[in-house]
Amino acid sequence: MKLEFSAEPQAHFQEPWPNAYAIFSWLEFAISIPYPTYLITTLKENGKANACWHSWGCFSGTGQGYSALMVLTEGGHTCANILRAKEWCINLPQLEQRAPCENTVAHNGLENDEITDAGFTAEPSRIIRSPRIAECLVAMECQLTWHRPLFEDSGQRVFAGRIVHVALDERACTADPRLRLEQLNTMYNVLDTLDPLSGETRPGGLGIVRFP
Ligand SMILES: Cc1cc2nc3c(=O)[nH]c(=O)nc-3n(C[C@H](O)[C@H](O)[C@H](O)COP(=O)(O)O)c2cc1C
């Protein structure tokens, strides 16, 4: 039996935290699409590194090139840095690097060098000025193609960027897909899960992908 829902939240839905369904869509909590998480590195206006743990993104391309699409909250440092510098780097961290990823959220001040303050090491990119994170097995250097609000009056902005250079650690270069997933050990963001029938919400977490 299929259950049909309009996009409006219902009164009996438990919010996982105050205003959750105003800040995010309740549908994200009811549908649970796992998003891969990655660190977006950019440069602040003062030249210090910014690192943003992020998950609203996807990748697409053809023989004409490969691009990253990301949705960023307006008002955040990453959004401002990309609008100014028109570039960013996407670094894929492993589950084992969860603690330094969390540190990037805790040490988010303008004076922080967010890569080193988090416990990572910065390394220069090849094409862009934004630094890469040395410990991440994959780094994708991106240059801005276009950006626009998600919709009129939205507080979120969509960015598309061409991937102009990639650094792959040799450990991630195996042709064995099972081993590749084990090596990458990419963290997937699974938000708190809402049962729209009962309205109950339970804590989500970070998942990983494995072949059955
Ligand atoms: C697992 C995880 C995933 C996140 N995904 C996003 C995201 O997709 N979009 C977003 O705007 N913030 C996301 N955040 C929150 C940002 O990491 C956080 O607000 C960060 O401090 C913003 O940094 P900035 O102000 O330097 O851009 C996420 C946080 C965590 C812990």
Side-chain angles (χ1 to χ4, degrees):
M1 182 180 66
K2 286 268 163 51
L3 303 163
E4 313 289 334
F5 294 94
S6 73
E8 296 305 314
Q10 296 176 21
H12 72 289
F13 291 172
Q14 278 174 13
E15 288 192 312
W17 33 274
N19 284 330
Y21 300 149
I23 295 167
F24 294 126
S25 167
W26 70 273
L27 286 164
E28 208 171 342
F29 297 80
I31 297 172
S32 296
I33 297 170
Y35 303 96
T37 76
Y38 43 84
L39 291 159
I40 305 172
T41 46
T42 50
L43 279 180
K44 302 181 209 197
E45 205 163 11
N46 62 9
K48 299 206 172 181
N50 195 89
C52 171
W53 201 6
H54 192 262
S55 53
W56 281 331
C58 67
F59 301 88
S60 183
T62 63
Q64 292 172 294
Y66 196 41
S67 292
L69 274 158
M70 314 185 304
V71 182
L72 284 161
T73 306
E74 302 242 21
H77 301 147
T78 304
C79 193
N81 294 343
I82 293 177
L83 288 173
R84 188 181 57 255
K86 304 189 171 15
E87 54 158 60
W88 65 93
C89 186
I90 294 178
N91 308 264
L92 279 190
Q94 301 160 288
L95 180 62
E96 298 85 326
Q97 294 161 335
R98 179 183 184 149
C101 289
E102 287 169 349
N103 290 343
T104 66
V105 181
H107 304 285
N108 189 36
L110 283 179
E111 288 311 313
N112 286 111
D113 181 313
E114 296 182 25
I115 296 181
T116 51
D117 290 354
F120 285 117
T121 314
E123 68 175 18
S125 289
R126 290 295 168 95
I127 306 280
I128 63 175
R129 289 177 59 244
S130 305
R132 308 196 299 224
I133 296 178
E135 289 83 356
C136 290
L137 300 189
V138 180
M140 295 173 258
E141 299 180 21
C142 302
Q143 286 176 334
L144 180 67
T145 319
W146 55 262
H147 62 91
R148 53 157 293 160
L150 188 56
F151 52 86
E152 204 182 339
D153 296 329
S154 161
Q156 296 176 317
R157 187 162 280 274
V158 189
F159 291 87
R162 296 285 285 233
I163 296 168
V164 292
H165 187 83
V166 173
L168 289 179
D169 189 287
E170 57 190 356
R171 285 171 288 167
C173 287
T174 172
D176 179 339
R178 222 169 262 278
L179 198 52
R180 172 93 59 112
L181 285 187
E182 276 174 34
Q183 293 287 13
L184 291 176
N185 222 10
T186 301
M187 290 174 273
Y188 283 77
N189 193 7
V190 181
L191 291 184
D192 302 328
T193 44
L194 164 70
D195 172 355
L197 287 183
S198 67
E200 182 192 7
T201 303
R202 293 205 191 166
L206 291 167
I208 50 171
V209 173
R210 289 283 176 266
F211 284 106

